[in-house]
Amino acid sequence: MSFDVSLGTAGSSTVVRLAGENHDVETVRSVLDRAVRQVTRRLVIDVHDTETLPGAAVRCLAFAGQQVPHAAEVVVEGASPALVSQLRLAGLDRSMTIVTLDPNTLTTV
């Protein structure tokens, strides 16, 4: 399966959408760098359509989280259980809001 990385806005949020597998880390980093430069209130990283990320892409998320303005929040939305484990292992659950969609309930990590 191929990958897709896109950047957009929704209301006052800057949204980065990661979909598919085998993400090109340079593309992920480049889009996250652009997102960080334009975020004002909230950076949403939509991962509904990806199961896991390469370790280097997780590091890109960590770096982006460090670069957003202090008043902005970072939300990882739609994380699979495997991705939640990756993000927790990297310690990102302490600096970002991670929302996973369970078929029965909405859970915030």
Side-chain angles (χ1 to χ4, degrees):
M1 181 179 198
S2 64
F3 74 95
D4 180 49
V5 181
S6 61
L7 175 62
T9 59
S12 62
S13 298
T14 299
V15 180
V16 174
R17 182 176 174 272
L18 304 175
E21 299 174 10
N22 301 318
H23 289 85
D24 174 63
V25 175
E26 285 301 313
T27 303
V28 172
R29 183 193 57 76
S30 175
V31 170
L32 285 171
D33 285 349
R34 288 195 335 245
V36 165
R37 285 193 299 271
Q38 73 182 47
V39 71
T40 55
R41 188 161 177 250
R42 180 180 299 121
L43 173 60
V44 176
I45 302 163
D46 178 348
V47 293
H48 283 95
D49 296 322
T50 192
E51 188 66 25
T52 62
L53 292 171
V58 173
R59 287 189 297 278
C60 290
L61 293 180
F63 185 72
Q66 293 170 349
Q67 301 303 310
V68 296
H70 291 287
E73 71 174 315
V74 180
V75 178
V76 178
E77 188 175 282
S80 69
L83 185 54
V84 169
S85 293
Q86 280 185 289
L87 299 174
R88 280 184 171 160
L89 211 67
L92 297 183
D93 57 324
R94 294 185 299 261
S95 61
M96 299 178 180
T97 301
I98 302 171
V99 180
T100 180
L101 290 179
D102 181 291
N104 301 315
T105 181
L106 177 68
T107 305
T108 302
V109 176

